[in-house]
Amino acid sequence: KDTSYTTFWHGYLYSALFFTLTHALNAIASGSLFHYTVDFLRTDSFSGYFQISHLTNSLFGFYLFFFTGLSAKEVKGWRAAFLALFFMAISPRFFGQSMNNPKDIPFAATYMLTIYLMIRFFKQMPKPSFKTMVFLMIAIGMTIGTRVGGVILIGYLLLFGMLFYVLRRWRQKDPVPLLPWVGRLLGVAFSGYLIGLFFWPYGQINPLLNIFRALAKLSDFRF
């Protein structure tokens, strides 16, 4: 019932997967989830929170490199994977911020996880495995749950999914039924969006409109 967070600067525009995860890990490390939740502003707990935040951030950085390499491998093989991983690792912007940036790095990591799973999903169409579909839903949800701009991945999914259908149907003369194809695309997109809303209270207020309101405001910052 308390929606006062919607007046807190621009913080409500961001979803909170990373911070929820970090607080949960800190609560586990502190030995008591209940007492941590009640008293997390104690100096010792808050100091511990930042240590765990840096650790969690670096893990997201690792998976950013990892899934960038795997995505390149799916497209062009292991040599491309090695080059992608190498150039990511020697990029100061990515490597340095992997330990210190709790917004952009987790978003980039979940984004590349989604791209990797999306490529596998398209390769397996028209009958992708249940495992691939579930993981892709979760990955889309994690990306939106990290930053609402991840909703663009739903656009990619639908756009490239239908382009791939056209290639299969008309260029390769593969008589693939349209409705099951579209149904799988929409099912993954809708489920991924719902998972993302779990970590974004402002989006839960109005799932259909607040995503557009948030994107408009996030693209209009003065700094």
Side-chain angles (χ1 to χ4, degrees), residues 12-200:
Y12 67 96
L13 299 174
Y14 289 91
S15 36
L17 170 66
F18 177 85
F19 303 105
T20 303
L21 176 62
T22 304
H23 275 293
L25 292 174
N26 197 21
I28 294 171
S30 67
S32 172
L33 180 61
F34 173 76
H35 289 294
Y36 173 80
T37 305
V38 174
D39 302 322
F40 80 96
L41 286 176
R42 294 198 318 265
T43 303
D44 56 338
S45 292
F46 215 53
S47 175
Y49 167 81
F50 279 106
Q51 294 177 20
I52 291 180
S53 178
H54 284 297
L55 173 62
T56 310
N57 211 150
S58 66
L59 289 174
F60 273 100
F62 168 79
Y63 283 110
L64 166 59
F65 294 178
F66 183 70
F67 287 112
T68 298
L70 286 183
S71 298
K73 179 262 177 185
E74 288 293 325
V75 174
K76 205 67 178 176
W78 285 111
R79 179 180 296 179
F82 171 78
L83 290 174
L85 183 61
F86 175 74
F87 284 118
M88 287 288 289
I90 65 172
S91 170
R93 190 70 178 265
F94 281 112
F95 190 85
Q97 294 199 27
S98 288
M99 279 68 78
N100 298 285
N101 186 336
K103 287 185 178 179
D104 298 309
I105 294 300
F107 179 68
T110 54
Y111 193 100
M112 288 311 303
L113 167 63
T114 307
I115 293 295
Y116 166 68
L117 291 169
M118 202 179 292
I119 295 170
R120 292 184 59 85
F121 176 76
F122 290 149
K123 283 186 173 182
Q124 295 174 10
M125 285 289 266
K127 294 182 179 180
S129 69
F130 178 75
K131 178 180 176 182
T132 300
M133 290 183 65
V134 170
F135 281 146
L136 181 54
M137 294 173 192
I138 295 173
I140 291 174
M142 289 175 63
T143 310
I144 296 173
T146 304
R147 180 173 284 179
V148 295
V151 74
I152 196 174
L153 289 167
I154 292 179
Y156 290 162
L157 177 71
L158 300 178
L159 171 63
F160 291 108
M162 292 312 300
L163 287 175
F164 194 48
Y165 175 82
V166 171
L167 291 175
R168 288 281 297 267
R169 186 69 185 266
W170 280 282
R171 289 187 62 180
Q172 299 179 20
K173 307 301 181 182
D174 189 355
V176 183
L178 178 61
L179 288 180
W181 190 290
V182 173
R184 290 185 176 93
L185 292 175
L186 292 177
V188 170
F190 182 72
S191 300
Y193 184 57
L194 290 183
I195 294 171
L197 287 178
F198 183 81
F199 299 98
W200 188 38

Side-chain angles (χ1 to χ4, degrees), residues 193-211:
Y193 184 57
L194 290 183
I195 294 171
L197 287 178
F198 183 81
F199 299 98
W200 188 38
Y202 181 64
Q204 296 172 22
I205 296 175
N206 192 329
L208 295 179
L209 292 180
N210 281 359
I211 183 68

